[in-house]
Amino acid sequence: MGFTVSDEVLGTLIPVAVYWIYSGIFVILGDRLDNYRLHTKAEEETKNVVSKWMVVKGVFVQQAFQIAVSLLLFTLIKDETGVPKPNPPLYIIAVQFVIAMFVLDTWQYFMHRYMHINKFLYKHIHSKHHTLVVPYAFGALYNHPLEGLILDTAGGALAFLLSGMTPRVGVFFFSFATIKTVDDHCGVWLPINFLHFLFANNSAYHDVHHQLYGTKYNFSQPFFVTWDKILGTYMPYSLVKRKEGGFEARPIKD
């Protein structure tokens, strides 16, 4: 009898692997991305008050919580017969993706914004993520464990349940959401990055939020900018090429 891994386990572990593989690509490319960086290396070293090793450890902690909660969720909702649900046709999967994206965006916008409004939550929880003033790829999930549980894990669970997707479809959705989250925090603007053409919510858009002048704006993540535009927290920007190489996301003032 061959060794098999359930879709539930794959849906839990593959997005974690995708996180490190995709963020690792940016690490490997290293200096070759200098002409596309949104901040200089000097800014990264002086503005970020946490070491990269601490960031790695912090992400591991969050992912451990994420794995535990995901496995618990799948255990609670698993069909007693043990027979996997059949996967729907592609057009249904496309609809489920759209629903899941909307649910996740809505949850994260309001939770994220509230963590900025509530001074206690910002000081003791969300400020940890903002110690990375200059974001980089593998720091995308560097959060307080409670924030990771509320924003990412709970939001992902809601998106999964309300969209009605199967665990197999969830593997692809959460892998895509992981790639999008890493890309939004990668700190570089690559002209050939197709995600920048598909989504206005991108690395430059989110970089504005990480700067002091942008902490009350651009809360939307990880897909669209809809809620920011509807509720007046949208801060437009222009990409300006720096003389020393790279780009700067500069806010457009009214």
Side-chain angles (χ1 to χ4, degrees):
M1 184 171 65
F3 176 76
T4 60
V5 180
S6 70
D7 289 346
E8 289 83 359
V9 172
L10 290 175
T12 300
L13 298 182
I14 286 181
V16 174
V18 167
Y19 181 91
W20 293 109
I21 291 170
Y22 190 57
S23 62
I25 292 172
F26 289 95
V27 175
I28 292 169
L29 290 175
D31 294 343
R32 282 167 282 193
L33 296 175
D34 283 355
N35 287 329
Y36 308 101
R37 292 173 63 98
L38 294 171
H39 296 271
T40 65
K41 287 184 177 179
E43 284 182 293
E44 181 181 308
E45 293 171 1
T46 57
K47 290 185 176 181
N48 291 348
V49 296
V50 62
S51 71
K52 289 185 176 180
W53 174 236
M54 287 297 294
V55 169
V56 169
K57 290 196 293 184
V59 173
F60 278 150
V61 170
Q62 172 163 336
Q63 288 178 329
F65 276 94
Q66 177 181 314
I67 290 170
V69 174
S70 297
L71 291 176
L72 176 62
L73 173 66
F74 284 131
T75 300
L76 292 174
I77 66 172
K78 194 169 186 179
D79 192 327
E80 292 181 0
T81 64
V83 179
K85 290 172 61 178
N87 292 303
L90 283 177
Y91 75 93
I92 295 295
I93 292 175
V95 172
Q96 290 174 336
F97 259 62
V98 172
I99 293 172
M101 291 163 78
F102 172 75
V103 171
L104 189 56
D105 261 28
T106 300
W107 177 266
Q108 293 217 351
Y109 175 85
F110 288 101
M111 292 296 103
H112 183 194
R113 185 175 179 181
Y114 185 66
M115 285 192 176
H116 277 268
I117 294 172
N118 187 298
K119 293 181 179 179
F120 178 86
L121 290 178
Y122 184 83
K123 179 179 179 180
H124 296 284
I125 296 177
H126 188 54
S127 63
K128 181 173 182 177
H129 183 67
H130 278 272
T131 56
L132 294 180
V133 178
V134 178
Y136 48 78
F138 65 84
L141 292 183
Y142 179 66
N143 301 314
H144 188 285
L146 185 58
E147 175 179 349
L149 186 64
I150 295 172
L151 259 71
D152 300 315
T153 308
L158 281 173
F160 175 80
L161 293 171
L162 294 178
S163 66
M165 62 177 58
T166 64
R168 177 68 61 87
V169 173
V171 173
F172 293 95
F173 175 74
F174 289 112
S175 294
F176 174 59
T178 297
I179 289 172
K180 185 67 174 62
T181 299
V182 170
D183 201 78
D184 290 347
H185 290 81
C186 69
V188 298
W189 181 267
L190 290 171
I192 60 172
N193 189 332
F194 77 97
L195 290 175
H196 292 167
F197 296 101
L198 292 176
F199 298 97
N201 196 330
N202 49 47
S203 56
Y205 185 82
H206 195 65
D207 181 77
V208 169
H209 175 73
H210 271 257
Q211 308 313 305
L212 185 61
Y213 56 76
T215 55
K216 295 182 180 180
Y217 301 92
N218 295 10
F219 298 109
S220 294
Q221 56 185 43
F223 298 111
F224 308 112
V225 301
T226 309
W227 285 115
D228 276 320
K229 287 195 171 184
I230 291 173
L231 297 176
T233 54
Y234 175 79
M235 178 178 279
Y237 65 90
S238 61
L239 274 174
V240 180
K241 197 166 182 61
R242 290 196 307 266
K243 291 182 180 179
E244 63 270 30
F247 298 91
E248 177 186 351
R250 190 172 294 174
I252 299 174
K253 298 179 179 179
D254 295 333

